[in-house]
Amino acid sequence: MFNSLFGTITAKFPQTVYLETNGIEWDISAPDSSVDALPHVGEQARVYTWLLHRDDSMKLFGFASAEDRALFLDLLKVDGVGPKGALKILSSVSADQLVSVLDGGDVGRLEKVPGVGKKTAQKMMLALKGKLTLSENTGVTRGVKQNSPYSDLILSLASMGYDKSLAEQKVAAIVESLEKDASFAGKTDKEKEEIIFRRAIVEMA
């Protein structure tokens, strides 16, 4: 499945972006935060995507960054929050605000977010509190320890749709096994990441 689309922004509307790639114009649903963050109409941009495929329809969702998409996918794990609801939530509150509210346990503030009622707010707290943290460089990291040398690798796996907790466990197990290999120790950091990344994808498939 494709990870992103690169092309020219042809139109921007509330929660919608049109992107033209090689003569094809894509109608992409996107949170207002991503719509605002993407370049102006007529400029080129990369949109990170997620495809909703049902028996009777298909809908493409897009985001200005892989981190925004990861947060969207986290919201989908909350019982009662579907794609439209997650889009509405991310259009009403920024990623850092959402993380702050969740980590602070502020259910009352969360209930005021459009598309979130009392029951949904409680479910979000239960499912996501403490699992989303801020990062200086990328905005949101999904429960990945910031001092981990492989935090970017784990974030990449999460952005591809793999479960964050499983990705963390799998990477940790792979690193532990590879550290016993003398040839692995002699490789560069980039080579180590590539080896771990490829092996994680194979083992998590």
Side-chain angles (χ1 to χ4, degrees):
M1 182 54 64
F2 48 85
N3 177 60
S4 65
L5 293 172
F6 182 80
T8 302
I9 301 289
T10 55
K12 297 172 74 173
F13 306 101
Q15 297 186 20
T16 302
V17 170
Y18 287 178
L19 183 77
E20 183 177 349
T21 62
N22 298 318
I24 300 174
E25 187 176 51
W26 301 85
D27 181 350
I28 306 172
S29 296
D32 289 333
S33 56
S34 286
V35 174
D36 293 338
L38 289 168
H40 298 296
V41 173
E43 297 182 4
Q44 290 191 319
R46 181 172 299 281
V47 179
Y48 293 85
T49 56
W50 179 76
L51 179 65
L52 173 64
H53 188 189
R54 291 174 174 165
D55 292 338
D56 58 348
S57 65
M58 288 191 295
K59 193 170 187 64
L60 191 63
F61 292 80
F63 308 88
S65 69
E67 292 73 35
D68 286 345
R69 179 178 60 186
L71 183 55
F72 173 84
L73 294 175
D74 273 331
L75 289 172
L76 294 186
K77 296 177 182 178
V78 179
D79 184 26
V81 177
K84 290 184 179 179
L87 202 69
K88 193 171 184 179
I89 292 171
L90 293 178
S91 294
S92 306
V93 61
S94 66
D96 58 343
Q97 289 175 332
L98 181 58
V99 171
S100 178
V101 169
L102 286 168
D103 287 348
D106 191 351
V107 178
R109 171 68 179 85
L110 196 57
E111 290 176 11
K112 296 178 182 178
V113 176
V116 179
K118 185 175 182 179
K119 290 184 178 179
T120 300
Q122 292 173 340
K123 291 177 181 178
M124 287 177 65
M125 282 292 177
L126 183 63
L128 303 177
K129 182 179 179 181
K131 298 181 180 179
L132 303 173
T133 57
L134 294 179
S135 166
E136 289 184 10
N137 298 323
T138 59
V140 176
T141 59
R142 308 168 65 241
V144 178
K145 295 180 179 179
Q146 294 188 31
N147 61 354
S148 169
Y150 301 110
S151 59
D152 288 342
L153 188 155
I154 296 171
L155 178 59
S156 296
L157 290 169
S159 298
M160 292 171 64
Y162 292 104
D163 180 83
K164 180 262 303 178
S165 297
L166 179 59
E168 290 178 337
Q169 295 171 11
K170 181 59 64 178
V171 168
I174 292 172
V175 171
E176 183 178 358
S177 66
L178 288 175
E179 285 179 342
K180 301 175 184 177
D181 186 342
S183 63
F184 179 76
K187 297 185 180 299
T188 65
D189 290 344
K190 184 176 180 181
E191 288 173 334
K192 289 180 179 179
E193 286 191 358
E194 290 177 351
I195 292 171
I196 296 169
F197 186 73
R198 289 197 298 268
R199 182 166 164 180
I201 290 178
V202 171
E203 294 187 10
M204 295 172 67

